[in-house]
Every structure is written in structure tokens, then in C-alpha cells.
Amino acid sequence: EKLAAKKKRRKEREALGDKAPPKAIPKTIENQRVYDETTVDPNDEEVAFDEATDEFAPYFNRQTVPKILITTSDRPRGRTVRFCEQLSTVIPNSHVYYRRGLALKRIIPQCIARDFTDLIVINEDRKIPNGLVLSHLPDGPTAHFRMSSVRLRKEIKRKGKDPTEHVHEIILNNFTTRLGHSIGRMFASLFPHDPQFIGRQVATFHNQRDYIFFRFHRYIFKSEKKVGIQELGPRFTLKLRSLQKGTFDSKFGEYEWIHKRREMDTSRRKFHL
Amino acid sequence: VVWGMLGNRQFCSYKITTKTQNFCRNEYNLSGLCNRSSCPLANSQYATVREEKGRCYLYLKTIERAPFPRRLWERVLLHKNYEKALEQIDENLIYWPRFIRHKCKQRFTKITQYLIRIRKLTLRRQRKLVPLRRKIERREKRREEKALIAAQLDNAIEKELLERLKQDTYGDIYNFPIHAFDKALQQQEADSESESEKEEEEEEEDVDKREFVEADDSDLSDFEDMDKLETSSEEEQEEETEVEKEISHSKSKGKTPLKGAARRKRPHIEIEYEAETEPAAKTK
């Protein structure tokens, strides 16, 4: 029945010729998205002021150089270990340390003492990594993500080589709301400020419907209107579970945002990031 | 009498049978097995050790209290000290059968051991198990897939990169400043014989090419052979004065910091020149 209606409409359009009404825009979830009042306006002063004074200000004013510690939960399995290593090649100035049963609360002061700016903990379940805790160290926000569909470098179809040591660029797509904006800045603060364009590498955090897709590509400009990209480096998707104000503290921390399933998952068209 | 009824013949609600053994679910049972000697129902004189909230008690049952079910089990708080508690058990069960005494003490030992373990474990970090919900997992997975399709990542990334190129974030690395290039092309086509322009273009192109060759050297250590071919072919180009050819070559040369996907173009270029450069290389 729908097909018949479509055909009829097409015939009408052809019959009318130039005077036909413009084509109807199909409804997508992005179009129908429930308007979120915390959407960031590029010219919003309040947001700009907030950002100038929040925890990432020293990074964005180029006072601090990011130094990152990557670790896992207890007893990491092979896949997680390899993923950690690849992640450390993607993020410059990062170190991987094994966690032999050390409590996070005790690691954090040590990290601060040794001048780390960020801590990434990859949580593992049944031999695959499935969670990521990213905390900005000198007393910064902690974001807890659920990680899914992790692909290691050799599982990605490609014929290229491994990423070089150049600092790569970052693309942050689609972080619209306040929450999304702060998470976007959190990601941005992992990477050093000055990308070396010679390397032609780019790391992308793309937010779509509350899922953040991470990809790592190498690009070439074939002409001024065409660019070719080749995927290298691991890929994974993240979904934000909670954002805490201070460093990682599960009992006494002040949660800025938690994903509450009952309330937040009811509408198909409402997204928070 | 009681055992005759409950033991093997009729039904005892505390009894659990498995392939190899019978268990007794009664809370006052001393060993946990369903035996004639360990059944608290069938024995009129019985004792157990049970713990509540970390404290151990000795429970006693005697014949005299059989008609008073409420006062049937008498309980004695045991000392926290292990040895003193053992003495207490001995003293309470002084004339009782050996079996019950022995088993009571064994049970008490086991209980204290696991209490110690609990206390030790709570000091360390506990792992909290959060159950997954299958329906939710499936829902999330499906939504993720759909989001991935909707995202069209490759397109988005390409668009973003082109935007950045247009906004000149890359500076002078890539030599397609669009308008300038087109203009240059038009000029060349119009007056292809004026030497000044040729010289200018040659200089520009040489400069560009030189930049690129340097970039190549720094980036691509593997492609030494190709570099050699390029430099020799460059010399060739300088000899050639056909402007259009130079443009097309420079265009392709401009893209030579190639890796991966566009590597295919390279062999094409190389093949074109190989015939020309071989004699040059040989003579050198």
C-alpha cells in the first residue's frame, strides 16, 4: 500500500514538472530529537565563562602538558593487555602500568605526586574490555563509560602500517549539550595541543545518539575536494554511565550525572550527550 | 520411634536426598547429614554450635524439656577466646556422648575460621558484581548498531577534514589553495610560451617539489628507491619545458607523501618515468 502511494506521488511530481512541491524530508531520529534545554549555543557567554574557570582551564591555557596513565582492573587478560598497548600508542605521552591488586584510592595520590594529568582504567569482564573510567587527575571530573565493540588493530581490515609517533589531530563531533560539551573537553584534554600535520593522523570522537564512537585514521588529500581516509588503530564505542565531580570515589563522590535507566531510557528520541 | 518413622521410611521435610548422600536441612543439625545420630528430631539429647552476628552459641536440648517446645533449646554464649570457648563446651557437655561433644567442637572450629576469614576480606577491596540485564543489553546493542549506521563516520570525518583544509588550519603544507591554483592553470593555458611565467612556475614547482622531497625523505625511509627515481625524474623535468606536463606532474608529485590507500598512484607514475630515467641512471 505504501508502495502504491509512493508511485502515485512520483507520477504526480513528474506530471507537474517544474511546479512540483519540493521533496519531503524523511523523518530521522536526529530530526525528531527532543529538544534538550542544555544545548550549548556557540555564543553562549555563561558557558564560555564556565569553561574558562573549570578544571580544564589550565590545559586549554596551555599551562599543563597531558600525561596519562592507563591501567586495567585486576588480572587483565590478553585482549585487554593488547588493547591497552594500542591505546597507549594512540594517545601520546601515556604509560601503561599493571595493577597488581592496588586500590584505586591509593593509586590516585601517587599519580598526582608523579604529575600525571589523567588516569584511564579499563575494566574487563570475561576476557574482553567492557568499561572505561577516565578521570582528570588533579581533582578533576571522573567519567565512567561502558565500552563495547572493541576492535584491535589487527582486526581492522586495512593494509597500512602502524601509527607513527607524530601528534595527531582530534575531531570531536556532535557534542551538543552541556554534558556533552564537558565530556568533549575531557577527551580533548587527553591530547597535546599542537598536532603535527605532517603525520596526517586524526583521532575522532563522534557522538551519535549518546554513543561515542572512537576511530583513528590516516588521511590524504587527493584533491581539494576529496580526501581519502584509511583506518588504523583500535576502535571502540563508549556510552556514558556517570560523571562524578571529584576523582574516582564510588561511595562518597558527588555525582554530576548518572544514567538512570528507568527515567532516561523511556523515550526513543531523547538523548543526553 | 521417631527415627523409625522419619529416618528411612516416611517423609521428613528436612531431608534432602542426592545421588550419594542424604542431607538434613534442619538448622540445629550438627553435621548436616541425615543420620540416626545427627538428627535433632530423633535424638532427645542433642547439642549444636551456631553463630549469630559473629558470636557463637552452644545450643542444648535435653529430655526433660521435651514437652516444652518453646524452651526446648537452651543456648549458652561462648567465649570469644577460642580455647576458653572449647573449655566451655567441654564443661557444658560433660557427661554427654562423645560423638556430640566431638562434633560440636569441630563445628565450632570451622565457624571461627570462617568468621576470621570474613573479617579479613572486608578489609580488602570487595568486588561488587553488578548483574547485567539481558533485555537491556540487547536493546543497547541494537541501538548502538543503528547509531553507527546513522553516524556515517567516514563521511563525517572526511567532511570535517575538508572543512579544516578550507579554513587553512593546515597552512601551506598542501599545495591546493584552490583559487590560486585555478588561476595559475588558466594563465598557463593562455600564454604557454612566455618565459617569465614558466620560470616562475618552475621555481614554484621546484620549491614545492623540493619541499615534498624533503618531506618524503623524513617520512618514508622505505621508499629510498622511489626517492631516487623521483629526484632523477625531477632533473628530467627541469630539462623538459612543456609547461602542461610539468603541471600535471607537479600535481601528482604534490601528492607523493603517499601512504596506504593511494599507493596505487605511485606505481603508475613510476612506470611512466622508468624508461626515461634508466639511461640517465646508467650513465651516472
Side-chain angles (χ1 to χ4, degrees), chain A residues 148 161 170 222 237 261, chain B residues 136 140 144 164 222 255 257:
Chain A
S148 45
K161 297 188 183 169
I170 320 170
K222 292 182 199 157
T237 62
R261 190 174 47 87
Chain B
I136 295 182
E140 304 261 305
E144 191 185 317
R164 288 190 185 179
D222 294 348
K255 293 176 209 134

Side-chain angles (χ1 to χ4, degrees), chain A residues 186-203:
Chain A
M186 232 178 143
F187 284 130
S189 73
L190 290 177
F191 298 91
H193 249 297
D194 311 302
Q196 294 166 321
F197 297 119
I198 300 181
R200 280 185 297 129
Q201 291 168 141
V202 59

Side-chain angles (χ1 to χ4, degrees), chain B residues 226 258 262-272 274:
Chain B
M226 293 190 183
L258 291 181
R263 223 189 270 177
R264 268 182 258 137
K265 284 198 179 176
R266 254 219 181 134
H268 287 310
I269 305 169
E270 302 309 327
I271 294 168
E272 288 175 22
E274 271 183 74

